């Protein structure tokens, strides 16, 4: 499996086929027990983990909800920018979290979550927008989104992906999603099954092949007819 500079790749497959494991290995959240991952021809394990993580922005479906200020919720994406209001607002605009910030009397300094006095609770989709803002603040060379809009409604999801296409231009991007309306826009789609690459190609190529991807796509499309 290769990921080229500037390429957008979608990972597709049923639950438990290895999609999240693959991106966690690419992000070096843990190392492979066999085989190797190479970056520019060098084993990933030879790179500084800290330097590597600076260039990778990841949002998982089970993202963290920090009972801290909105500033800190976004700022932990790149901690040296936590006092840079302009950078934080820009990241919030990219994820659409800015619409929430404008409702808060204290703006970036609003406490989020109910753990501390004065905190406001958010819906799952609202928390997710702050998680996305963290990834955008990092301004990394590689963006990985693992079911990033699972808690969003259809309108919000459409907005996030419209922005994602623009914001990830020129960067490497890996997307895991069960929604083929977003997957089909990728440069390449990789279908995983039982921890193996089962097939890969563009949306049109895979539909024409009539294989695993085509059957999954048809199954989902049928429910909208």
């Amino acid at each position: 499996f290769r990921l080229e500079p500037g390429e957008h790749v979608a990972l597709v497959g049923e639950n438990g086929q290895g999609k999240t494991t693959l991106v966690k290995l690419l992000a070096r959240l843990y190392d492979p027990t066999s085989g190797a991952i190479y970056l520019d021809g060098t084993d990933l394990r030879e790179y500084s983990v800290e330097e590597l993580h600076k260039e990778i922005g990841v949002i998982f479906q089970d993202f963290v909800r920090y009972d801290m200020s909105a500033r800190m919720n976004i700022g932990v994406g790149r901690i040296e920018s936590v006092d840079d209001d302009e950078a934080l607002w820009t990241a919030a605009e990219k994820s659409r979290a800015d619409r929430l910030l404008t409702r808060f009397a204290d703006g970036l300094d609003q406490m989020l979550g109910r753990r501390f006095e004065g905190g406001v609770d958010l819906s799952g989709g609202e928390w997710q927008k702050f998680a996305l803002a963290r990834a955008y603040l990092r301004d990394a060379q590689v963006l990985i989104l693992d079911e990033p809009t699972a808690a969003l409604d259809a309108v919000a999801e459409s907005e996030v992906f419209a922005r994602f296409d623009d914001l990830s231009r020129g960067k490497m991007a890996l997307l895991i999603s069960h929604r083929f309306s977003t997957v089909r826009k990728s440069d390449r789609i990789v279908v995983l099954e039982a921890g193996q690459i089962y097939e890969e190609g563009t949306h049109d190529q895979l539909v024409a092949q009539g294989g695993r991807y085509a059957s999954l796509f048809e199954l989902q499309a049928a429910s909208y007819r």
Side-chain angles (χ1 to χ4, degrees):
F1 169 77
R2 288 179 63 90
L3 179 61
E4 303 289 347
E7 188 180 28
H8 290 198
V9 172
L11 299 178
V12 172
E14 296 180 41
N15 291 335
Q17 303 308 311
K19 303 184 297 298
T20 297
T21 299
L22 176 57
V23 298
K24 285 183 175 179
L25 289 168
L26 287 173
R28 209 178 161 201
L29 297 181
Y30 44 75
D31 293 325
T33 53
S34 64
I37 299 170
Y38 295 92
L39 173 60
D40 290 339
T42 300
D43 193 311
L44 210 60
R45 288 168 284 202
E46 295 186 26
Y47 287 88
S48 157
V49 172
E50 183 179 351
E51 293 302 313
L52 191 67
H53 286 176
K54 285 181 180 177
E55 297 303 331
I56 301 175
V58 189
I59 291 295
F60 293 109
Q61 184 174 354
D62 53 346
F63 56 88
V64 178
R65 309 177 186 204
Y66 296 105
D67 284 86
M68 300 188 293
S69 66
R71 175 185 302 279
M72 289 301 298
N73 262 276
I74 300 172
V76 291
R78 195 175 70 205
I79 200 65
E80 61 267 27
S81 299
V82 73
D83 293 320
D84 186 340
D85 286 16
E86 184 178 353
L88 297 176
W89 273 100
T90 298
E93 287 169 4
K94 291 175 180 178
S95 71
R96 295 300 191 247
D98 60 316
R99 300 176 185 180
L100 297 168
L101 292 175
T102 56
R103 289 182 1 214
F104 300 151
D106 295 327
L108 285 166
D109 296 312
Q110 172 65 53
M111 183 64 68
L112 303 184
R114 292 292 190 185
R115 183 168 298 178
F116 300 106
E117 185 177 352
V120 297
D121 202 9
L122 304 176
S123 68
E126 290 169 337
W127 277 113
Q128 200 158 29
K129 290 178 181 179
F130 280 100
L132 285 166
R134 287 198 286 277
Y136 286 134
L137 180 69
R138 180 157 295 202
D139 193 26
Q141 295 186 54
V142 181
L143 278 174
I144 299 174
L145 301 186
D146 184 353
E147 289 288 344
T149 59
L152 301 181
D153 59 44
V155 173
E157 179 188 42
S158 177
E159 289 179 347
V160 165
F161 279 110
R163 297 287 286 163
F164 177 70
D165 288 342
D166 290 335
L167 297 167
S168 60
R169 191 164 290 126
K171 302 177 185 291
M172 291 181 176
L174 267 173
L175 168 68
I176 296 175
S177 179
H178 291 289
R179 305 188 189 187
F180 289 92
S181 58
T182 55
V183 165
R184 65 185 301 169
K185 300 175 185 177
S186 299
D187 299 324
R188 184 159 49 101
I189 299 165
V190 176
V191 182
L192 297 183
E193 190 159 308
Q196 302 287 327
I197 294 177
Y198 186 79
E199 58 190 1
E200 61 182 307
T202 65
H203 169 80
D204 290 339
Q205 289 170 342
L206 292 176
V207 168
Q209 285 178 21
R212 188 71 181 133
Y213 176 85
S215 64
L216 290 171
F217 177 74
E218 179 58 31
L219 196 66
Q220 191 169 112
S223 64
Y224 288 98
R225 293 183 181 134

